[in-house]
Amino acid sequence: MSLADLFERIVIVSLPSRTDRRRDMGAQLKRAGIPLQPGRVEFFDAIRPESAAGFPSIGARGCFLSHQTLLSQARDDRLANLLVIEDDLSFTPRLLADQDAAIAPLRACSWDLAYLGYRIFDPPPGASPPRGATFVPYAGRIDQTHFYAIDGPLISRLVAVLDQIRNRPPGHPEGGPMHVDGAFNTFRRQNPDVTTLIALPELGVQRDSRSDIAAGKFFDRVPVLRDLANMARSVRRSYQGGRHRGEDGPV
């Protein structure tokens, strides 16, 4: 069983202008044996607003609106579940080598949210098997939304809370405009009945590429220097891929 078999829809969040990321993501999907297919595995054209409107930045607002919009579409389509991928994701060798084994624990239990990739600051007790993979409950803060799954019945609840957060004033005690991963944490904290799982070890990590959310470095704002920086990142990713090929660590 592949990711495409487990999830009713897989959505890749991507700005149409980021052809570099779409190209790299297409290569990742090809390696995973998951072809693009309208309505099943497809790119979602990320939103780029004109202003921050109370959010930490224009990019943060765009990321928030993009996730809220694609989740709203999933709600309207009454999907049984949904896998969301951001376009700077790299699947780990573990996932590429055997998707069925990597996601089997997720098929065998009940969950509401599942993070296949993430950044956490309070690791759960215990270690994953050296040659296996599992999913464990996690109630702490989770940063990044580059690789997560959501069960259908939870989608409408999450969309409603995201809408409330978006429309509150900045600094509201119940949560105002913020980064989308912070909004997910706010939702989880306010809804302790939600079962959140994380993959141990991660099944996807973020690639090194120019950010559309954080303020760009000076060399990402100058066209010629930006091209050189992207070339350097590509070389570094190729080197890392060769160095880790065949190992369990991330590419």
Side-chain angles (χ1 to χ4, degrees):
M1 176 175 284
S2 72
L3 292 170
D5 297 318
L6 179 60
F7 297 104
E8 187 169 1
R9 182 177 297 167
I10 299 175
V11 175
I12 305 102
V13 186
S14 177
L15 285 168
S17 61
R18 290 306 301 267
T19 55
D20 58 326
R21 288 191 175 185
R22 291 198 173 200
R23 180 182 61 250
D24 289 345
M25 194 67 243
Q28 286 288 316
L29 292 170
K30 183 177 181 180
R31 290 178 64 193
I34 304 174
L36 291 169
Q37 181 182 351
R40 291 279 292 117
V41 183
E42 59 187 8
F43 283 104
F44 172 86
D45 289 344
I47 298 169
R48 184 71 175 179
E50 295 294 326
S51 67
F55 283 82
S57 67
I58 290 176
R61 183 187 178 203
C63 186
F64 186 103
L65 293 176
S66 297
H67 283 267
Q68 182 183 14
T69 301
L70 69 87
L71 289 169
S72 296
Q73 292 176 355
R75 175 202 59 196
D76 295 344
D77 291 341
R78 300 180 182 275
L79 296 184
N81 55 34
L82 175 71
L83 179 66
V84 180
I85 297 173
E86 292 182 347
D87 61 1
D88 57 351
L89 176 77
S90 280
F91 299 126
T92 62
R94 184 188 300 272
L95 179 61
L96 292 172
D98 192 342
Q99 288 184 60
D100 184 70
I103 63 178
L106 196 58
R107 302 199 312 268
C109 62
S110 298
W111 51 273
D112 297 305
L113 275 169
Y115 287 78
L116 288 73
Y118 50 84
R119 182 173 63 179
I120 58 176
F121 299 90
D122 298 306
S128 61
R131 291 291 172 183
T134 189
F135 284 82
V136 299
Y138 189 75
R141 168 184 162 188
I142 300 175
D143 282 4
Q144 302 176 342
T145 50
H146 59 283
F147 199 14
Y148 71 89
I150 180 168
D151 196 36
L154 189 72
I155 295 175
S156 60
R157 288 176 58 187
L158 178 55
V159 169
V161 170
L162 292 178
D163 196 54
Q164 293 170 1
I165 290 173
R166 178 173 62 87
N167 288 296
R168 291 179 184 133
H172 191 282
E174 294 183 19
M178 64 180 77
H179 288 280
V180 69
D181 51 358
F184 277 44
N185 287 328
T186 298
F187 170 77
R188 292 171 52 236
R189 186 171 58 252
Q190 294 175 351
N191 295 271
D193 62 303
V194 171
T195 299
T196 301
L197 304 181
I198 60 171
L200 285 180
E202 290 179 84
L203 298 176
V205 297
Q206 284 187 311
R207 292 193 309 275
D208 181 27
S209 65
R210 173 171 54 89
S211 173
D212 294 306
I213 298 177
K217 297 180 175 66
F218 77 93
F219 49 75
D220 280 325
R221 298 194 296 269
V222 180
V224 175
L225 295 180
R226 180 171 62 240
D227 292 341
L228 292 173
N230 286 335
M231 288 176 61
R233 289 174 177 130
S234 179
V235 170
R236 178 161 54 188
R237 289 196 298 269
S238 297
Y239 166 74
Q240 290 173 336
R243 180 163 58 90
H244 291 289
R245 192 172 292 117
E247 298 177 5
D248 288 327
V251 172

